[in-house]
Amino acid sequence: MRTTKDIQDEIMRLKKEKDFCILVHAYQAHSIVEIADFTGDSYGLSVQASKVPNKNVIMCGVRFMAETVKVLSPDKTVYLANPNAGCPMADQIDIPILKGLQEKYPGYETVAYINTSTELKTICDTIVTSSSADKIIGNIENDKILFVPDPNLGGWIAKRHPNKDFKFFQGGCPTHMRITKDEVDEAKSAHPDALFLVHPECRAEVVELADYVGSTTGIMDYAKKSDAKEFIIGTEASIVEHLQYECPDKMFYPLSVGLICHNMKMTTLVDVLNTMNGTGGEEITLSDDVIKGAKKSIDRMIALGG
Ligand code: SF4
């Protein structure tokens, strides 16, 4: 029987032989994190990939993440390890829907969360990540903001910028949105000494109860540096496992057993191996116009402090 270790060893051998860089989003299983060149949030991974000399890049995550890698590294061959892994939130809004909103709200700056398709990014003014959104919105001169697709992240940012007028698309991350205030109350009474760390994709009534609100990387950094010993993790369940490996002297509890992104969990070690062997995965191809259009909104994010 082939073991996890056998497949990991084969992947590590092929990485060198075939010049691959492997990017692994933090919501992936720990067995995949172990074969990564880089782990973290989607935009950070794209930047890392653009700096390495490798010609081939595999994204273990969802489609928009692999597309963002291609936009920042158009000369590299970029693969999505599992072609079926999409982001339901990114798929909620397309160009006709966004154009309709832009016509409804003329004069508003279109700000899109990075969790959107690359095509959609071509008609946005700027992109934000969950960690950069606050700073970027603060640096936008226009006081009218059309924020898509996540009204939870957008609403959290809007509270910090009461001088601006926000309009939202009523989408959201199905994984984070399903968390209820009652689940937070239950987790807090089960673990009264634990700090509650949450992702801003959760509903406002959940985020309000947090000791820390931040991106996936922000949550992991906060937990690692904190003097506290117990944490309730209000984001995807894999973060609990990764943190438990990194901080064995601390305790991490999932806010809810339902906090699992099934799209993120589609990717397996065998998908990675098959991609390297040319029998699986999908090469990401984008037209020059789409790359150029999306890059413009990403460049504006960088210029505004992202
Ligand atoms: S956790 Fe939410 S935003 Fe992230 S990939 Fe899954 S559905 Fe998309």
Side-chain angles (χ1 to χ4, degrees), residues 117-130:
S117 74
T118 306
E119 242 197 347
L120 195 93
K121 288 180 177 82
T122 63
I123 62 161
C124 296
D125 295 310
T126 190
I127 305 302
V128 294
T129 64
S130 51

Side-chain angles (χ1 to χ4, degrees), residues 178-194:
R178 68 171 75 108
I179 299 306
T180 64
K181 180 181 175 298
D182 286 350
E183 285 175 296
V184 181
D185 292 341
E186 272 172 40
K188 281 181 169 240
S189 56
H191 308 290
D193 296 329

Side-chain angles (χ1 to χ4, degrees), residues 116-171:
T116 44
S117 74
T118 306
E119 242 197 347
L120 195 93
K121 288 180 177 82
T122 63
I123 62 161
C124 296
D125 295 310
T126 190
I127 305 302
V128 294
T129 64
S130 51
S131 58
S132 67
D134 183 23
K135 186 175 178 189
I136 289 170
I137 297 284
N139 286 338
I140 291 175
E141 279 186 20
N142 195 336
D143 59 4
K144 293 176 178 171
I145 306 289
L146 170 59
F147 193 96
V148 298
D150 184 359
N152 290 331
L153 172 64
W156 180 63
I157 300 297
K159 278 191 188 145
R160 303 159 91 94
H161 299 275
N163 54 327
K164 291 190 190 282
D165 177 31
F166 282 78
K167 303 292 182 207
F168 300 109
F169 171 70
Q170 292 307 313

